Amino acid sequence: MTKRIRIRDIATEAGVSAGAVSRALKGQPGLKEETRQRILTIARQQGYDFTRLRNDKLRRVLFLLHRQHNISSALTFYSPLLLGVENACRDAGIALSFLALGPTDAVEEQVRLHDPDALLCAGFFEPELLAALRNMQLPLALIDLWAPGLPSVNPDNLQGGYLATRHLIAQGRTRIAFLASSLAHYSIRLREKGYRQALYEAKLLTPPEYEAIAPPLLDTESSLVSAVEELLALPQRPDAIFAYNDSAALIAIRVCQQHGVKVPEEIAIVGFDDIDTASVAHPPLSTIAIDKASLGRSGLQLLIDGARDDEQQLLPVRLVARQSAGEGLN
């Protein structure tokens, strides 16, 4: 079967961005005429199908999620994000499909089954898997992830980590731990950096064991339970925990309660994401809220607009401080 020539094929040959190729093919402004003609010449030489040009260039978008996620629990965050993408696709007349993908999969074979015009990756993907996807020469954008040379949209993770930690400091907490499954994820690293910034400004020095990174067990939940139990076993345990996401924060609440530690009186806990279960937890969970539907829509818009390969967007976040009756702020 003859390989379909994609915009990114032409961009690679011409040494320009995919957005520049899109503008040239559509006759849009913003390019020197010499550059436009060079792009059109390369497109013809490569056999690009000019009959595919339409205002609604994208017809099929494939939404990708990493298979390493516990899909059932990850969807508490990614479902509203995916629905935001779906609504935007519906408005733009684009068909959307979904695929959970891992590095041991036959990547190109699995993706080609969906015959997509573009790819939208959400959440963590290791560099090797991203490289395999990029080799397919399809327009590609990232949501809740950053990688060099790819357009991306993220919540303001740095500011979110800062706000969460400042909230705990404002409650008089001075021994604040950071709980994470890994620091390999771009978003988690920035949340940790915001946590450190808030501690630095408050002149709070925390011991290294307060950075509780879950041990690399097969099951993420078991790893997080182990990390929280290590915090509780310290000679001077923390009086607060900033968890990298709400699922981890809810695990921390459960482990504390199982060990007879009162939340928030003895240990205050703050999460990140504002998933639905955060507000109905006992006690209710303070968290950093992300407009997940807007995050999804913004990711799709990067593809529709033919975003520059280095384009990065940050969406604002906000603190949601919840109070449990008679128990103070959590």
Side-chain angles (χ1 to χ4, degrees):
M1 185 175 67
T2 302
K3 178 183 176 182
R4 178 186 294 178
I5 302 302
R6 305 285 183 171
I7 283 178
R8 196 170 292 276
D9 297 320
I10 303 167
T12 299
E13 179 66 21
V16 299
S17 71
V21 173
S22 179
R23 289 193 292 274
L25 295 176
K26 294 179 180 179
Q28 296 174 339
L31 293 174
K32 293 181 180 179
E33 187 57 28
E34 177 185 348
T35 302
R36 184 189 310 280
Q37 292 303 322
R38 179 162 56 88
I39 291 172
L40 292 174
T41 297
I42 291 171
R44 295 187 189 99
Q45 290 173 345
Q46 292 195 357
Y48 182 79
D49 181 7
F50 283 80
T51 64
R52 296 171 55 217
L53 289 174
R54 294 199 299 267
N55 288 333
D56 58 339
K57 174 63 180 171
L58 295 180
R59 293 172 294 169
R60 294 177 298 276
V61 169
L62 178 59
F63 183 97
L64 295 163
L65 191 64
H66 200 295
R67 278 203 295 112
Q68 88 164 26
H69 291 295
N70 181 326
I71 299 296
S72 60
S73 62
L75 286 180
T76 57
F77 175 82
Y78 289 112
S79 286
L81 190 156
L82 178 57
L83 287 174
V85 176
E86 197 280 331
N87 286 333
C89 283
R90 185 186 300 269
D91 292 341
I94 295 171
L96 180 68
S97 57
F98 171 81
L99 176 64
L101 195 64
T104 59
D105 292 336
V107 174
E108 181 165 356
E109 179 181 335
Q110 290 296 312
V111 170
R112 293 295 183 196
L113 286 174
H114 295 259
D115 193 25
D117 296 315
L119 307 175
L120 200 52
C121 294
F124 173 76
F125 281 78
E126 55 270 279
E128 296 81 3
L129 184 50
L130 279 180
L133 292 169
R134 294 178 78 164
N135 285 340
M136 296 188 66
Q137 303 296 323
L138 291 168
L140 172 62
L142 308 178
I143 302 176
D144 191 34
L145 180 63
W146 175 86
L150 288 172
S152 63
V153 58
N154 284 277
D156 193 338
N157 292 293
L158 179 65
Q159 177 69 0
Y162 178 83
L163 290 175
T165 310
R166 287 294 306 173
H167 170 68
L168 291 168
I169 294 169
Q171 305 309 308
R173 311 294 174 151
T174 58
R175 304 188 309 277
I176 303 171
F178 177 69
L179 173 66
S181 61
S182 164
L183 290 180
H185 193 308
Y186 169 78
S187 298
I188 301 175
R189 291 198 306 272
L190 286 181
R191 294 172 194 184
E192 192 267 349
K193 189 174 181 179
Y195 156 81
R196 290 290 175 194
Q197 181 65 33
L199 293 180
Y200 174 79
E201 291 181 4
K203 297 181 171 57
L204 292 176
L205 183 63
T206 59
E209 56 265 31
Y210 278 15
E211 188 169 277
I213 308 304
L217 305 180
L218 292 177
D219 177 68
T220 301
E221 181 171 340
S222 298
S223 298
L224 289 167
V225 168
S226 177
V228 176
E229 289 179 337
E230 288 180 10
L231 287 175
L232 298 183
L234 292 172
Q236 187 177 42
R237 69 188 182 203
D239 59 8
I241 297 173
F242 166 42
Y244 80 106
N245 68 15
D246 288 347
S247 294
L250 295 172
I251 289 171
I253 290 175
R254 188 183 77 225
V255 173
C256 285
Q257 291 172 339
Q258 288 172 346
H259 285 76
V261 177
K262 294 181 180 178
V263 179
E265 292 89 346
E266 296 179 79
I267 295 183
I269 299 174
V270 174
F272 204 112
D273 291 342
D274 195 23
I275 61 176
D276 290 342
T277 49
S279 62
V280 297
H282 182 72
L285 179 66
S286 288
T287 185
I288 300 299
I290 299 170
D291 186 339
K292 293 172 276 295
S294 179
L295 194 63
R297 290 193 299 270
S298 297
L300 180 71
Q301 199 62 46
L302 287 173
L303 293 174
I304 291 174
D305 293 344
R308 301 187 314 274
D309 289 346
D310 60 348
E311 184 168 339
Q312 299 179 48
Q313 295 182 14
L314 282 183
L315 298 190
V317 298
R318 61 186 176 87
L319 173 71
V320 178
R322 296 188 171 100
Q323 189 169 6
S324 180
E327 293 184 327
L329 282 174
N330 176 31

